[in-house]
Amino acid sequence: MSKILILGSSHTGAFQTARHRIAAAFPALDVSYFGLPGSGFFNATLTQGVFAAPEDYARQFQWMETREIDLHPFERVLLVGERFAFGAVMRLLMGQDILEEPQRTKRPLMSRAAMQELIGALVEQRVEALLTKFGRDTRFTFVPAPYPLARSLQSGPGQEKALKSVLKRDTGADWGRTYEARIASEMAAAGLDFLAQPRETRDSYLTTQDRFARQDAPEEASETQIDNRHMNDDYGWQVFCAYAATRLEIRPELEALADETKTGSS
């Protein structure tokens, strides 16, 4: 069996909760899951092939049994959760009007070329950080953190104000394509494999369909009770299938998947 590791931040949860579905549909794969919340993941170290949480980091997911994992036994690694400066890019776009575009919001003007280069610089910093930590390990494929849910554009708690501002522009989706194309080009230049969020999971170019929400949004809720960034097991399943098809060149065994669905495993 091919040993696969899904490694990453809290976004590994979408894959871990889909683990039975993945195991049933891909019996030729032995898939393991290792995730660390928040800063624990981004401050973790990779030393002689062992990925480990900082020594002073206490938080851990309930489904995790260890704070470190040896990467040597794995043939492939799917790393999930890198945001590629998404928030910073959206705030940058929100704060500027583009000289060559007719829409105006009375914000400072910036040329399209300058904006493209600033976006590129932000992305390049994140790619350099990945390269520094993981090197050019050909086993790795990097999939970004999912775009926020479509409902995050609504007024109220959990609203992604910068993203909403960008998507209100006539050229918002174009800037989304520019941003993602720059990620792909910077990753390719660094010799790192980038897998974009599958189109079938998206609502607009920069948002995720609400059906992938990990939890419903309560009618009366505070900012901390709304989660528009973490997705459910179906999202993890969709992304893993895209990874398996494009990188491992295998597809789910439908008979096994149907049997697993009938049992109600989750």
Side-chain angles (χ1 to χ4, degrees):
M1 296 179 74
S2 298
K3 291 180 67 64
I4 309 295
L5 174 64
I6 298 179
L7 172 70
S9 64
S10 54
H11 295 286
T12 55
F15 298 84
Q16 196 272 343
T17 52
R19 64 194 182 280
H20 298 304
R21 192 176 181 185
I22 291 171
F26 295 96
L29 302 180
D30 178 9
V31 184
S32 298
Y33 305 82
F34 185 93
L36 293 170
S39 61
F41 170 72
F42 292 103
N43 291 313
T45 57
L46 180 60
T47 306
Q48 296 182 342
V50 177
F51 188 81
E55 291 185 6
D56 59 350
Y57 194 76
R59 293 179 61 205
Q60 188 165 313
F61 298 124
Q62 290 184 345
W63 51 271
M64 288 292 301
E65 298 178 353
T66 179
R67 292 164 54 83
E68 65 179 39
I69 188 165
D70 187 350
L71 304 188
H72 287 104
F74 297 98
E75 296 172 43
R76 302 294 295 263
V77 179
L78 178 62
L79 191 138
V80 302
E82 171 58 47
R83 290 184 62 80
F84 292 101
F86 176 78
V89 169
M90 293 303 107
R91 291 190 295 272
L92 177 63
L93 283 164
M94 178 180 68
Q96 309 290 328
D97 284 342
I98 304 302
L99 184 63
E100 295 87 349
E101 296 177 4
Q103 284 181 301
R104 293 286 183 267
T105 61
K106 298 183 179 180
R107 293 183 172 90
L109 285 170
M110 180 181 292
S111 72
R112 181 181 288 116
M115 177 62 76
Q116 290 171 339
E117 287 307 306
L118 285 173
I119 290 173
L122 289 168
V123 170
E124 184 180 11
Q125 288 178 348
R126 294 309 312 150
V127 173
E128 288 177 350
L130 292 176
L131 189 58
T132 298
K133 178 170 286 189
F134 299 106
R136 291 187 177 88
D137 191 329
T138 57
R139 297 176 300 168
F140 276 70
T141 295
F142 297 82
V143 63
Y147 290 128
L149 293 168
R151 72 187 189 193
S152 70
L153 304 182
Q154 301 171 3
S155 298
Q159 184 186 59
E160 298 277 346
K161 295 180 180 179
L163 175 58
K164 181 177 181 178
S165 175
V166 172
L167 289 179
K168 284 175 63 178
R169 297 185 181 200
D170 294 339
T171 56
D174 292 335
W175 281 109
R177 284 185 279 271
T178 295
Y179 163 64
E180 200 163 273
R182 193 60 183 257
I183 296 173
S185 64
E186 292 291 344
M187 290 288 281
L192 303 178
D193 185 34
F194 172 67
L195 175 63
Q197 179 174 335
R199 297 293 177 87
E200 58 268 24
T201 67
R202 305 190 194 197
D203 186 74
S204 69
Y205 200 85
L206 293 172
T207 58
T208 299
Q209 295 175 38
D210 287 341
R211 67 188 180 95
F212 294 112
R214 189 173 66 173
Q215 60 188 27
D216 293 334
E219 290 186 10
E220 300 292 333
S222 66
E223 192 78 28
T224 57
Q225 293 175 304
I226 300 292
D227 185 352
N228 288 330
R229 294 190 175 189
H230 291 86
M231 306 303 153
N232 60 21
D233 61 312
D234 194 35
Y235 179 85
W237 163 253
Q238 296 283 349
V239 176
F240 188 83
C241 285
Y243 168 68
T246 60
R247 299 320 193 260
L248 308 179
E249 299 184 337
I250 58 174
R251 297 187 181 277
E253 295 189 8
L254 298 182
E255 290 185 6
L257 179 59
D259 290 342
E260 187 274 335
T261 302
K262 291 176 183 177
T263 67
S265 299
S266 60

